[in-house]
Amino acid sequence: MDAITVESGPASRNRLRSLVVLLGPAFVAAIAYVDPGNVASNISAGAQYGYLLVWVVVMANVMAALVQYLSAKLGVVTGRSLPQIVRERAGRPVRLAYWGQAELTAMATDLAEVVGGAIALNLLFGLPLLLGGVITGVVSMALLAVQNRRGQQPFERVIIGLLAVIAIGFLAGVVISPPSPSGVAGGLLPRFDGAQSVLLAAAMIGATVMPHAIYLHSGLTRDRHGRTEPGPRRSRLLRATRMDVGLAMIIAGAVNLAMLLMAAATLGGRDIDSIESAHAAVREVLGPWAALLLAVALLASGLASTSVGAYAGAMIMDGLLRRKVPLLFRRVVTLIPALLILAAGVDPTRALIVSQVVLSFGIPFALIPLVRFTSDRVLMGADANHRATTAAAWLIAAVISALNLLLIYLTVAGR
């Protein structure tokens, strides 16, 4: 019998405790999967098609879990972030072009998060969107100050706290109005209902993996654990990383699924085309408390995700250009485009759509190097991907990249 299975109770608890203290980086990266850009699409899917697309949420979450684990593993094994390795293997012109697209996707991410926070403050307090955007930026600076002054682990705890608020807020609707068990079970069977459902499913899958989360996760594990030599310590860190990613993605997946199930159970047949219309429908059907929790969760999502996005942007610049920029300065710079868009009176839902298109453009640039590097035995040694893992990762990269290209085309074509 394996030695682990015959350990005494206290020894097993000590082993578990030693793994638990290593958790955290994946919970920060998981914020990307519950950002404001996901809220309207998931609720819209449930309102329009009921339980039909449950399987899409589940499949997308499984795909995202593998991608995030590969990113985390890259940081643990090499002691470097994905942007750092790209810098080492690319010439200067390619490196600068790569940095340009990565920065563009980071700014698009920030736009979506700031707009989401502004919408939440408008729903909660009736604040103008521009003022809400400023407040979102100021609060996110305070969150980044925690990381800047106290280090990564206190920042992780703050983000995990906000993730808990997000989970409670979005899961409340499912508790208040439980979904149909048979409907949920039926929704696990892959199928569609017309061309529009195919397009919506493509949007849900294509927008699953966020480029900045891939770049960031490798850097988070690097900063938390450093480079570890092959041996028991690395094996222990990789086990902890699998646990970290698994728990974080279960929570993120549950939140996304809860959005869809709540809408399927209570908002069927309604035209939900924006976060505001989703909030109004929840208030009408489930009452003011459910609507309040939804708005609070959206605010927590905006605050957490915009802080994480700014953190990722600084890590990208440091990795690709070896230029360290103070996080608070970076927060101000990337906040300006979002505030200008809000000041110009651009429809916030349209701004979210445009930001998702820009993010879609950056997906292949993050996924393809990630799979390539984690499959490289010279770089990863014995911890390089298994052939089956590599095949699955390339398939995921191809599917997500193709869907994102399709979404870009359909959005630009106005279809």
PDB file of all heavy atoms in Angstrom, residues 66 68 113 123 150 167 194 198 213 235 240 255 273 294 307 310 321 327 331 334 370 396 400:
ATOM      1  N   LEU A  66      -7.347  23.709 -16.972  1.00  0.00           N
ATOM      2  CA  LEU A  66      -6.107  23.151 -17.519  1.00  0.00           C
ATOM      3  C   LEU A  66      -5.142  24.266 -17.928  1.00  0.00           C
ATOM      4  O   LEU A  66      -3.940  24.214 -17.621  1.00  0.00           O
ATOM      5  CB  LEU A  66      -6.404  22.257 -18.720  1.00  0.00           C
ATOM      6  CG  LEU A  66      -5.170  21.677 -19.433  1.00  0.00           C
ATOM      7  CD1 LEU A  66      -4.314  20.858 -18.472  1.00  0.00           C
ATOM      8  CD2 LEU A  66      -5.583  20.851 -20.651  1.00  0.00           C
ATOM      9  N   GLN A  68      -4.943  27.357 -16.774  1.00  0.00           N
ATOM     10  CA  GLN A  68      -4.378  28.039 -15.608  1.00  0.00           C
ATOM     11  C   GLN A  68      -3.367  27.167 -14.875  1.00  0.00           C
ATOM     12  O   GLN A  68      -2.369  27.675 -14.358  1.00  0.00           O
ATOM     13  CB  GLN A  68      -5.502  28.463 -14.656  1.00  0.00           C
ATOM     14  CG  GLN A  68      -6.390  29.570 -15.192  1.00  0.00           C
ATOM     15  CD  GLN A  68      -5.627  30.818 -15.605  1.00  0.00           C
ATOM     16  OE1 GLN A  68      -5.917  31.420 -16.628  1.00  0.00           O
ATOM     17  NE2 GLN A  68      -4.645  31.223 -14.823  1.00  0.00           N
ATOM     18  N   GLU A 113     -13.326  46.200 -16.562  1.00  0.00           N
ATOM     19  CA  GLU A 113     -13.477  46.144 -15.111  1.00  0.00           C
ATOM     20  C   GLU A 113     -13.933  47.482 -14.537  1.00  0.00           C
ATOM     21  O   GLU A 113     -14.794  47.540 -13.661  1.00  0.00           O
ATOM     22  CB  GLU A 113     -12.158  45.769 -14.442  1.00  0.00           C
ATOM     23  CG  GLU A 113     -11.445  44.478 -14.687  1.00  0.00           C
ATOM     24  CD  GLU A 113     -11.984  43.473 -15.669  1.00  0.00           C
ATOM     25  OE1 GLU A 113     -13.031  43.697 -16.265  1.00  0.00           O
ATOM     26  OE2 GLU A 113     -11.329  42.449 -15.845  1.00  0.00           O
ATOM     27  N   LEU A 123     -25.938  51.467 -10.090  1.00  0.00           N
ATOM     28  CA  LEU A 123     -27.093  50.675  -9.652  1.00  0.00           C
ATOM     29  C   LEU A 123     -27.318  50.808  -8.144  1.00  0.00           C
ATOM     30  O   LEU A 123     -28.462  50.861  -7.686  1.00  0.00           O
ATOM     31  CB  LEU A 123     -26.873  49.201 -10.021  1.00  0.00           C
ATOM     32  CG  LEU A 123     -26.828  48.861 -11.520  1.00  0.00           C
ATOM     33  CD1 LEU A 123     -26.469  47.396 -11.715  1.00  0.00           C
ATOM     34  CD2 LEU A 123     -28.152  49.180 -12.191  1.00  0.00           C
ATOM     35  N   ARG A 150       2.767  45.604   1.540  1.00  0.00           N
ATOM     36  CA  ARG A 150       2.753  44.441   2.441  1.00  0.00           C
ATOM     37  C   ARG A 150       3.076  43.123   1.755  1.00  0.00           C
ATOM     38  O   ARG A 150       3.168  42.090   2.410  1.00  0.00           O
ATOM     39  CB  ARG A 150       1.391  44.346   3.141  1.00  0.00           C
ATOM     40  CG  ARG A 150       1.066  45.574   3.974  1.00  0.00           C
ATOM     41  CD  ARG A 150      -0.151  45.342   4.832  1.00  0.00           C
ATOM     42  NE  ARG A 150      -0.455  46.505   5.666  1.00  0.00           N
ATOM     43  CZ  ARG A 150      -1.447  46.550   6.544  1.00  0.00           C
ATOM     44  NH1 ARG A 150      -2.223  45.494   6.719  1.00  0.00           N
ATOM     45  NH2 ARG A 150      -1.650  47.648   7.251  1.00  0.00           N
ATOM     46  N   ALA A 167     -19.007  35.462  -4.826  1.00  0.00           N
ATOM     47  CA  ALA A 167     -19.682  34.164  -4.803  1.00  0.00           C
ATOM     48  C   ALA A 167     -21.004  34.243  -4.061  1.00  0.00           C
ATOM     49  O   ALA A 167     -22.037  33.738  -4.537  1.00  0.00           O
ATOM     50  CB  ALA A 167     -18.764  33.123  -4.159  1.00  0.00           C
ATOM     51  N   GLY A 194     -30.849  26.529 -32.662  1.00  0.00           N
ATOM     52  CA  GLY A 194     -30.770  27.601 -33.637  1.00  0.00           C
ATOM     53  C   GLY A 194     -29.419  28.291 -33.653  1.00  0.00           C
ATOM     54  O   GLY A 194     -28.573  28.096 -32.766  1.00  0.00           O
ATOM     55  N   VAL A 198     -25.875  29.001 -30.948  1.00  0.00           N
ATOM     56  CA  VAL A 198     -24.496  28.635 -31.305  1.00  0.00           C
ATOM     57  C   VAL A 198     -23.575  29.839 -31.104  1.00  0.00           C
ATOM     58  O   VAL A 198     -22.483  29.722 -30.545  1.00  0.00           O
ATOM     59  CB  VAL A 198     -24.421  28.140 -32.759  1.00  0.00           C
ATOM     60  CG1 VAL A 198     -22.964  27.856 -33.141  1.00  0.00           C
ATOM     61  CG2 VAL A 198     -25.266  26.891 -32.949  1.00  0.00           C
ATOM     62  N   ALA A 213      -4.806  36.761 -17.366  1.00  0.00           N
ATOM     63  CA  ALA A 213      -4.782  35.745 -16.309  1.00  0.00           C
ATOM     64  C   ALA A 213      -3.696  34.710 -16.573  1.00  0.00           C
ATOM     65  O   ALA A 213      -3.077  34.194 -15.638  1.00  0.00           O
ATOM     66  CB  ALA A 213      -6.147  35.066 -16.208  1.00  0.00           C
ATOM     67  N   SER A 235       7.703  18.632  -6.194  1.00  0.00           N
ATOM     68  CA  SER A 235       6.515  17.767  -6.285  1.00  0.00           C
ATOM     69  C   SER A 235       5.427  18.253  -5.339  1.00  0.00           C
ATOM     70  O   SER A 235       4.238  18.267  -5.679  1.00  0.00           O
ATOM     71  CB  SER A 235       6.885  16.318  -5.957  1.00  0.00           C
ATOM     72  OG  SER A 235       7.821  15.820  -6.898  1.00  0.00           O
ATOM     73  N   ALA A 240       0.291  21.203  -4.484  1.00  0.00           N
ATOM     74  CA  ALA A 240      -0.418  22.347  -3.926  1.00  0.00           C
ATOM     75  C   ALA A 240      -1.002  23.218  -5.035  1.00  0.00           C
ATOM     76  O   ALA A 240      -2.108  23.752  -4.906  1.00  0.00           O
ATOM     77  CB  ALA A 240       0.513  23.176  -3.045  1.00  0.00           C
ATOM     78  N   VAL A 255     -19.852  30.135  -9.620  1.00  0.00           N
ATOM     79  CA  VAL A 255     -20.418  31.483  -9.740  1.00  0.00           C
ATOM     80  C   VAL A 255     -20.992  31.699 -11.134  1.00  0.00           C
ATOM     81  O   VAL A 255     -22.121  32.184 -11.295  1.00  0.00           O
ATOM     82  CB  VAL A 255     -19.341  32.550  -9.431  1.00  0.00           C
ATOM     83  CG1 VAL A 255     -19.850  33.941  -9.779  1.00  0.00           C
ATOM     84  CG2 VAL A 255     -18.952  32.491  -7.957  1.00  0.00           C
ATOM     85  N   ASP A 273     -30.110  42.301 -22.388  1.00  0.00           N
ATOM     86  CA  ASP A 273     -29.024  42.680 -23.278  1.00  0.00           C
ATOM     87  C   ASP A 273     -27.978  43.566 -22.606  1.00  0.00           C
ATOM     88  O   ASP A 273     -27.097  44.103 -23.265  1.00  0.00           O
ATOM     89  CB  ASP A 273     -29.573  43.391 -24.517  1.00  0.00           C
ATOM     90  CG  ASP A 273     -30.379  44.633 -24.158  1.00  0.00           C
ATOM     91  OD1 ASP A 273     -30.522  44.926 -22.953  1.00  0.00           O
ATOM     92  OD2 ASP A 273     -30.871  45.298 -25.079  1.00  0.00           O
ATOM     93  N   LEU A 294     -26.823  41.228  -6.018  1.00  0.00           N
ATOM     94  CA  LEU A 294     -26.258  41.171  -7.361  1.00  0.00           C
ATOM     95  C   LEU A 294     -25.378  42.390  -7.626  1.00  0.00           C
ATOM     96  O   LEU A 294     -24.261  42.263  -8.141  1.00  0.00           O
ATOM     97  CB  LEU A 294     -27.393  41.095  -8.391  1.00  0.00           C
ATOM     98  CG  LEU A 294     -26.978  41.161  -9.871  1.00  0.00           C
ATOM     99  CD1 LEU A 294     -26.150  39.944 -10.247  1.00  0.00           C
ATOM    100  CD2 LEU A 294     -28.212  41.260 -10.759  1.00  0.00           C
ATOM    101  N   SER A 307      -8.008  45.662 -10.131  1.00  0.00           N
ATOM    102  CA  SER A 307      -6.734  45.615  -9.404  1.00  0.00           C
ATOM    103  C   SER A 307      -5.842  44.513  -9.956  1.00  0.00           C
ATOM    104  O   SER A 307      -4.640  44.719 -10.191  1.00  0.00           O
ATOM    105  CB  SER A 307      -6.991  45.374  -7.915  1.00  0.00           C
ATOM    106  OG  SER A 307      -7.820  46.368  -7.375  1.00  0.00           O
ATOM    107  N   ALA A 310      -4.436  45.514 -13.404  1.00  0.00           N
ATOM    108  CA  ALA A 310      -3.297  46.437 -13.322  1.00  0.00           C
ATOM    109  C   ALA A 310      -2.031  45.700 -12.872  1.00  0.00           C
ATOM    110  O   ALA A 310      -0.921  45.971 -13.361  1.00  0.00           O
ATOM    111  CB  ALA A 310      -3.618  47.576 -12.363  1.00  0.00           C
ATOM    112  N   LEU A 321      10.032  43.712 -21.094  1.00  0.00           N
ATOM    113  CA  LEU A 321      10.932  44.844 -21.342  1.00  0.00           C
ATOM    114  C   LEU A 321      11.953  45.080 -20.240  1.00  0.00           C
ATOM    115  O   LEU A 321      12.814  45.942 -20.375  1.00  0.00           O
ATOM    116  CB  LEU A 321      10.113  46.132 -21.534  1.00  0.00           C
ATOM    117  CG  LEU A 321       9.061  46.124 -22.641  1.00  0.00           C
ATOM    118  CD1 LEU A 321       8.413  47.488 -22.739  1.00  0.00           C
ATOM    119  CD2 LEU A 321       9.668  45.711 -23.981  1.00  0.00           C
ATOM    120  N   LEU A 327       3.249  50.082  -9.348  1.00  0.00           N
ATOM    121  CA  LEU A 327       1.876  49.644  -9.577  1.00  0.00           C
ATOM    122  C   LEU A 327       0.890  50.806  -9.538  1.00  0.00           C
ATOM    123  O   LEU A 327      -0.048  50.864 -10.338  1.00  0.00           O
ATOM    124  CB  LEU A 327       1.479  48.597  -8.531  1.00  0.00           C
ATOM    125  CG  LEU A 327       1.817  47.140  -8.855  1.00  0.00           C
ATOM    126  CD1 LEU A 327       1.468  46.247  -7.680  1.00  0.00           C
ATOM    127  CD2 LEU A 327       1.087  46.675 -10.103  1.00  0.00           C
ATOM    128  N   ARG A 331      -1.576  52.030 -12.419  1.00  0.00           N
ATOM    129  CA  ARG A 331      -3.014  52.101 -12.203  1.00  0.00           C
ATOM    130  C   ARG A 331      -3.583  53.405 -12.780  1.00  0.00           C
ATOM    131  O   ARG A 331      -4.635  53.407 -13.432  1.00  0.00           O
ATOM    132  CB  ARG A 331      -3.286  52.023 -10.695  1.00  0.00           C
ATOM    133  CG  ARG A 331      -4.655  52.401 -10.217  1.00  0.00           C
ATOM    134  CD  ARG A 331      -5.694  51.378 -10.569  1.00  0.00           C
ATOM    135  NE  ARG A 331      -6.069  51.474 -11.980  1.00  0.00           N
ATOM    136  CZ  ARG A 331      -6.949  50.699 -12.579  1.00  0.00           C
ATOM    137  NH1 ARG A 331      -7.544  49.734 -11.921  1.00  0.00           N
ATOM    138  NH2 ARG A 331      -7.237  50.851 -13.840  1.00  0.00           N
ATOM    139  N   THR A 334      -3.450  53.316 -16.878  1.00  0.00           N
ATOM    140  CA  THR A 334      -4.445  52.463 -17.531  1.00  0.00           C
ATOM    141  C   THR A 334      -5.868  52.870 -17.185  1.00  0.00           C
ATOM    142  O   THR A 334      -6.813  52.469 -17.869  1.00  0.00           O
ATOM    143  CB  THR A 334      -4.229  50.989 -17.144  1.00  0.00           C
ATOM    144  OG1 THR A 334      -4.250  50.860 -15.714  1.00  0.00           O
ATOM    145  CG2 THR A 334      -2.906  50.479 -17.675  1.00  0.00           C
ATOM    146  N   LEU A 370       2.299  29.374 -24.216  1.00  0.00           N
ATOM    147  CA  LEU A 370       2.137  28.623 -22.975  1.00  0.00           C
ATOM    148  C   LEU A 370       2.212  27.122 -23.235  1.00  0.00           C
ATOM    149  O   LEU A 370       2.950  26.392 -22.543  1.00  0.00           O
ATOM    150  CB  LEU A 370       0.798  28.976 -22.320  1.00  0.00           C
ATOM    151  CG  LEU A 370       0.463  28.162 -21.065  1.00  0.00           C
ATOM    152  CD1 LEU A 370       1.395  28.524 -19.919  1.00  0.00           C
ATOM    153  CD2 LEU A 370      -0.993  28.375 -20.658  1.00  0.00           C
ATOM    154  N   ILE A 396      -7.503  22.677 -26.938  1.00  0.00           N
ATOM    155  CA  ILE A 396      -8.155  23.808 -26.268  1.00  0.00           C
ATOM    156  C   ILE A 396      -7.696  25.123 -26.880  1.00  0.00           C
ATOM    157  O   ILE A 396      -8.503  26.020 -27.156  1.00  0.00           O
ATOM    158  CB  ILE A 396      -7.850  23.771 -24.760  1.00  0.00           C
ATOM    159  CG1 ILE A 396      -8.590  22.597 -24.103  1.00  0.00           C
ATOM    160  CG2 ILE A 396      -8.245  25.085 -24.079  1.00  0.00           C
ATOM    161  CD1 ILE A 396      -8.188  22.349 -22.663  1.00  0.00           C
ATOM    162  N   ILE A 400     -10.399  27.621 -28.649  1.00  0.00           N
ATOM    163  CA  ILE A 400     -10.624  28.962 -28.093  1.00  0.00           C
ATOM    164  C   ILE A 400     -10.155  30.035 -29.062  1.00  0.00           C
ATOM    165  O   ILE A 400     -10.832  31.054 -29.263  1.00  0.00           O
ATOM    166  CB  ILE A 400      -9.924  29.107 -26.736  1.00  0.00           C
ATOM    167  CG1 ILE A 400     -10.581  28.175 -25.708  1.00  0.00           C
ATOM    168  CG2 ILE A 400      -9.988  30.542 -26.240  1.00  0.00           C
ATOM    169  CD1 ILE A 400      -9.932  28.197 -24.344  1.00  0.00           C
TER     170      ILE A 400
END
